[in-house]
Amino acid sequence: MTTVRPEEAKCLMDALGERLVVVQVMNDERQLPGAQAVPELASPDLSEQAHERLGERLAQLSGRDKMRPLLFYCHHARCALSYNASVRARQHGYAHVFWLRQGNAGWIHAGLPLQGDELGASGIPIRAEQMIQRCKYAALSYGAEDYAKVFVTARHAMELDSKFSEPRRILRARYERCLADLRNGFAGNRLVLDEINRSYLQGEMLANNAIALARHQAEANPQLFKDMLERIDVRLLNLKLASARHAGGSVADCGPPLTKERMSNAELERARAWLNNYRACLLRLEPPRPRGEAWETVDFEAAVRLAQAVAPLTCGVASGPRCVPQESWKRVADVANQGNLDRIKDSEQRQARLRGDIAQALSSVNDWVARVNAHLTDEDDAAEASYAAPVYRPAMPAPSVRRNSSVSAPGMR
């Protein structure tokens, strides 16, 4: 078995022509000129039956001529498939076995043409031209529905261009990544690299063209916007609108907070009752929290934007057959309009403010309770001290005496 470099393999092909059998032992659309893809020759099966099958396959490739030269290759220098196939060919008695160790990657890096690399009109291999075109069409694909999804988020025409800046950037980046991968595949071909560099400069223009084409297709297809309208669940919109109540109550409805901190027992009892009522009132005022209902997560504003964007395309406004049916638009627009959106936002803002006011009121009343209890503790400590045992009766210390419930001020919780 003889190991050859890509340039030596090319010399063998030129010198031996069809006499040389070039065998690709992996699946890859990029093939050396005249190569035959026979991946089964690198099978890991070492059984006697597999050995016989491989021998028969080699006999078919060589025309049962064991003096016929064979050239094996696979992906790259670290790919052992072609080495295994070469060893098996030697085991079957083939005298002239060549192993292109660097494989496809080495061949391409050397700037040698692959199968189908005839020069095209631009002076580079047709395969390279096709791959550059594939970058333009695959990486820059932007459909009418993609355009429509962005189009309906714009609140007015002036905003439309800025809305497409991000899709434009993504398209350009995807196109440039595709060309970068292509550059690696033709690293040794100066003409192809020059063509790729020229193609890089077209990225911005091609991205704009892709979006313009998508716009033309979207505007020519009213069914697209009709489908978007019909996918909106108007029932959920109505539920969200019905739930958007104005937060009419306020913390003031629960009455003024108590401020007196030093109180008699009777006052403390009344204060405890007031505290329970005050806290209960604040909890009743608290707006309901989201419970994960479907209507709570519906994007009402997106539905409004869609209805506003499609309005100029409806049959009541646009002329000609390419218009959105009025009834499809009206079904959504009657609910999803700016007035109802403002109502929902106003309600949400009021509820947010009310929640903040309630939290502040609860915090204030809790601070007041803490101060009242601190005063009660001080009074109890002072009472304890006033009932201390006299020093002239050390043998029988007086028990600590606390005021009974009719005298002592109970704490608040």
Side-chain angles (χ1 to χ4, degrees):
M1 179 177 66
T2 304
T3 303
V4 295
R5 294 180 292 106
E7 294 82 1
E8 294 170 333
K10 180 67 167 62
C11 289
L12 285 172
M13 293 178 185
D14 293 342
L16 299 175
E18 293 184 359
R19 174 75 180 158
L20 177 68
V21 180
V22 182
V23 184
Q24 175 179 285
V25 294
M26 79 293 191
N27 290 312
D28 195 325
E29 62 179 13
R30 302 173 303 170
Q31 293 184 337
L32 271 59
Q36 301 181 59
V38 193
E40 61 266 29
L41 290 179
S43 169
D45 190 349
L46 301 177
S47 66
E48 186 176 341
Q49 295 84 351
H51 184 75
E52 291 177 359
R53 286 197 302 271
L54 293 176
E56 179 59 29
R57 191 71 181 93
L58 287 168
Q60 294 171 2
L61 291 170
S62 64
R64 302 190 182 279
D65 179 1
K66 294 200 174 183
M67 297 301 293
R68 191 168 179 181
L70 305 174
L71 173 66
F72 295 94
Y73 76 95
C74 56
H75 296 289
H76 42 67
R78 296 185 302 277
C79 177
L81 300 177
S82 53
Y83 174 79
N84 294 340
S86 301
V87 169
R88 288 173 179 178
R90 289 292 295 144
Q91 290 172 346
H92 281 282
Y94 287 87
H96 305 294
V97 177
F98 298 95
W99 175 36
L100 176 56
R101 180 175 184 175
Q102 295 174 357
N104 239 1
W107 182 274
I108 294 170
H109 187 74
L112 297 171
L114 292 169
Q115 189 164 282
D117 267 358
E118 301 85 358
L119 296 182
S122 63
I124 65 173
I126 292 175
R127 185 176 63 87
E129 288 182 340
Q130 292 172 341
M131 293 177 78
I132 291 174
Q133 288 300 314
R134 190 180 304 167
C135 285
K136 292 180 179 178
Y137 290 112
L140 290 168
S141 61
Y142 196 73
E145 189 164 349
D146 297 321
Y147 175 87
K149 287 177 181 177
V150 178
F151 170 75
V152 299
T153 64
R155 288 172 292 186
H156 46 76
M158 296 288 290
E159 192 183 39
L160 195 57
D161 187 63
S162 64
K163 285 287 185 181
F164 281 101
S165 59
E166 182 62 10
R168 193 180 295 113
R169 185 196 65 78
I170 292 172
L171 287 173
R172 190 172 64 250
R174 199 162 61 193
Y175 173 66
E176 290 174 356
R177 281 196 303 270
C178 181
L179 290 177
D181 293 341
L182 192 56
R183 183 199 294 274
N184 295 333
F186 288 94
N189 193 318
R190 188 73 259 166
L191 290 176
V192 174
L193 293 178
D194 289 343
E195 184 63 27
I196 290 173
N197 289 337
R198 284 192 289 271
S199 298
Y200 262 107
L201 302 177
Q202 301 174 358
E204 184 73 20
M205 177 195 71
L206 292 171
N208 286 332
N209 289 347
I211 292 174
L213 177 60
R215 174 180 180 175
H216 174 74
Q217 293 171 339
E219 291 176 348
N221 182 15
Q223 183 65 36
L224 179 65
F225 294 99
K226 180 175 179 287
D227 292 343
M228 293 177 72
L229 288 168
E230 291 183 348
R231 282 197 292 268
I232 291 180
D233 192 334
V234 176
R235 181 183 62 86
L236 297 181
L237 296 180
N238 277 314
L239 285 172
K240 184 151 191 169
L241 183 60
S243 73
R245 60 180 178 83
H246 288 295
S250 80
V251 170
D253 295 340
C254 296
L258 293 182
T259 56
K260 188 175 182 180
E261 297 176 6
R262 296 180 181 275
M263 293 177 276
S264 66
N265 286 352
E267 289 174 323
L268 282 170
E269 290 297 334
R270 289 194 295 272
R272 188 180 293 108
W274 169 86
L275 180 61
N276 291 334
N277 292 333
Y278 187 72
R279 282 172 170 165
C281 177
L282 292 177
L283 292 176
R284 284 195 300 272
L285 280 177
E286 176 114 17
R289 298 282 180 177
R291 294 178 298 176
E293 301 286 348
W295 61 265
E296 292 175 335
T297 59
V298 69
D299 193 339
F300 199 95
E301 185 168 2
V304 172
R305 297 286 170 256
L306 174 60
Q308 290 174 339
V310 176
L313 307 176
T314 58
C315 297
V317 178
S319 58
R322 293 177 177 176
C323 59
V324 177
Q326 193 74 11
E327 58 275 13
S328 297
W329 172 80
K330 196 172 185 299
R331 182 184 73 92
V332 175
D334 281 353
V335 181
N337 54 60
Q338 191 62 47
N340 286 339
L341 177 61
D342 291 342
R343 246 176 243 113
I344 289 173
K345 286 187 173 182
D346 181 64
S347 174
E348 290 173 348
Q349 290 170 0
R350 284 173 175 266
Q351 291 184 18
R353 285 196 298 270
L354 180 57
R355 286 192 182 98
D357 293 343
I358 291 172
Q360 185 175 358
L362 285 172
S363 177
S364 297
V365 78
N366 288 339
D367 290 344
W368 172 77
V369 168
R371 291 194 299 273
V372 170
N373 284 333
H375 288 310
L376 293 173
T377 300
D378 291 343
E379 290 176 9
D380 283 345
D381 290 345
E384 287 265 352
S386 67
Y387 285 97
V391 294
Y392 55 84
R393 295 185 62 189
M396 190 175 179
S400 61
V401 179
R402 294 182 180 274
R403 289 174 290 177
N404 61 40
S405 59
S406 64
V407 178
S408 176
M412 298 180 68
R413 300 289 181 264

